[in-house]
Amino acid sequence: MIRPIQIAFVIPAIVAALSATACRAVERGGAVEQASVYIKVEAIGSDGKPCARTGSGVCVAPAGLVITNQHVIRLANTIRVVFHAATANEYESAAEVIGVHPDRDLALLQCRTERAAAWIPLGSTRDLQLTNAVRCVGFPLGGWMADGNRNPSVSISVGSVTSLRKDADGRLCWIDVGAPVAGGNSGSAVLDEAAQLIGILTQRYESFGRATPVEYVQELLGAAALDVRFDPAVAPEDGGRIDVVVKPQGPVSDLLHGLVWIPDQDPRSIRLKSADNTLTATLRVPPRQDGQPVLPIVVQATTPDGLVWERVVGLNRLERPPVALRGVIDSITLQRLKANGWRWDADAPDPFCKLYVNGLLVKQTDAVRNQYRFLTETAFDCQAGDSVRIVVFDKDLVRHDLAGEICFTAEPGLTVTRPTAGELQDCEITLRAVPLRPAALE
């Protein structure tokens, strides 16, 4: 299902991209609708019981890499991806999640395909303008649109860009499109006039859809494909030489050659040398500037299939640089019974149950019979080493009706599942590093 949600999802991630040479993919793989996939998920529902749901996705590499929305595959037990749905060439593949993006409700799936999949090349939003024509390719309404027991056919809706929404830093964060979309379109590809991917449909409103820009897809892909290390791990304060080592990982097994450069300091690139499937180079970094705990380094690598991957990695300028984290509260559930034996309001749930993170109100709950559950993803920002205190109040601060609290020290990759005190049954909270985004790459 597609729904307006507060989005920020978690993975240690940075920046990635596919080169324009991938445009030949449409010729090799056929029409763009062949690269759109139907996703079937067996998962755990909001009531804690098994449920089935469907969504859309798009294949972005011949090795079977599929991009969809994280909320499509959330709490999934099994994920099945249908290629060429409702055609003579239809086949299904099991899939596993190999990464999620911490900001924009994206998930990267690796499908176990027996043959090269049709895929869509990645474009760019750099020249995107209002009223530009777009196409949304996916599976609205899912199984409701199927004939009998078959899987549904792909649908293409035509519209135009109605708004380009930017965040506080001036970076494009949403593309609003005036095109007919419906539940089941979550994860649909949004294509420009050149049939290149410019976004992933993520939210649906009454008269328009909202898409995550393709640059976030690029970040997720690069983080999954390239392992980048520096030696020394902390750059000298006065500057000097740093060895860069790049190895393939995840969906990438071979690297041919590549480049490395410092975007905010020196745009000139240095060629990476190849040996034993490892790319290396020596990079000269400038002296540390005041207030610069991390220096962005861009690494670009080419694989034998002609794809070019990019990743931005932060080179530490301090022994202990601050690490920005984003926490996501997937759920907090109150116990059905209070300590004194009586239930939480069952027929008339309390409208004043609220959630605070370090004293700041971040959400008022949705009520579920006999319990309260925070279902939509709620995000907060912190730094590694910070003490975090999450508090749930059944009523309001004036009444001091504390339902429970969750306390922990923030660290990258931390998952919190046990409440600290009070009448809380369970929780699911995750923390990941916020991707690095030098202005020169936006």
Side-chain angles (χ1 to χ4, degrees), residues 17-32 35 58-62 118-124 189-192 194-199 214 217-218 221 307:
L18 292 174
S19 75
T21 60
C23 294
R24 295 189 299 272
V26 174
E27 299 174 3
R28 294 194 299 265
V32 292
V58 56
C59 188
V60 293
W119 55 289
I120 293 179
L122 272 61
S124 171
V190 180
L191 309 176
D192 61 13
Q196 294 185 351
L197 186 71
I198 60 169
V214 69
V217 175
Q218 296 168 340
L221 288 169
L307 295 181

Side-chain angles (χ1 to χ4, degrees), residues 261-308:
W261 68 92
I262 306 174
D264 296 337
Q265 302 289 334
D266 187 353
R268 293 174 299 178
S269 58
I270 296 176
R271 182 170 295 277
L272 290 160
K273 299 178 182 179
S274 177
D276 298 327
N277 205 24
T278 299
L279 304 182
T280 60
T282 299
L283 187 66
R284 179 177 291 278
V285 300
R288 184 174 72 88
Q289 300 177 3
D290 292 340
Q292 185 192 49
V294 176
L295 178 66
I297 305 292
V298 183
V299 174
Q300 184 183 92
T302 301
T303 53
D305 55 12
L307 295 181
V308 179

Side-chain angles (χ1 to χ4, degrees), residues 407-429:
C407 301
F408 54 87
T409 300
E411 295 294 341
L414 177 66
T415 299
V416 181
T417 58
R418 293 186 177 182
T420 304
E423 311 300 324
L424 302 181
Q425 176 176 312
D426 53 45
C427 62
E428 184 182 351
I429 303 167

Side-chain angles (χ1 to χ4, degrees), residues 197-241:
L197 186 71
I198 60 169
I200 298 294
L201 199 61
T202 303
Q203 302 177 10
R204 175 176 62 91
Y205 296 91
E206 184 175 354
S207 59
F208 66 95
R210 178 162 288 177
T212 301
V214 69
E215 283 75 15
Y216 290 92
V217 175
Q218 296 168 340
E219 293 178 3
L220 181 52
L221 288 169
L226 302 179
D227 177 25
V228 181
R229 306 292 176 90
F230 300 112
D231 185 18
V234 179
E237 185 170 344
D238 296 333
R241 294 180 178 275

Side-chain angles (χ1 to χ4, degrees), residues 2 9 45 69 78-79 130 133 146 161 179 182 221 239 272 312 377 393 415:
I2 201 163
F9 292 98
N69 288 142
T78 62
I79 304 173
L130 297 180
V161 176
L221 288 169
L272 290 160
V312 176
E377 289 72 13
F393 284 91
T415 299

Side-chain angles (χ1 to χ4, degrees), residues 58-115:
V58 56
C59 188
V60 293
L65 291 180
V66 168
I67 294 289
T68 187
N69 288 142
Q70 196 270 352
H71 72 256
V72 170
I73 50 83
R74 182 173 179 267
L75 299 180
N77 292 323
T78 62
I79 304 173
R80 303 290 298 180
V81 174
V82 182
F83 293 83
H84 307 285
T87 71
N89 297 321
E90 176 183 295
Y91 66 94
E92 288 192 13
S93 169
E96 62 177 336
V97 181
I98 62 173
V100 293
H101 196 284
D103 283 342
R104 285 294 179 268
D105 192 12
L106 296 176
L108 177 61
L109 309 181
Q110 176 69 73
C111 299
R112 304 186 187 99
T113 57
E114 297 180 357
R115 56 183 183 270

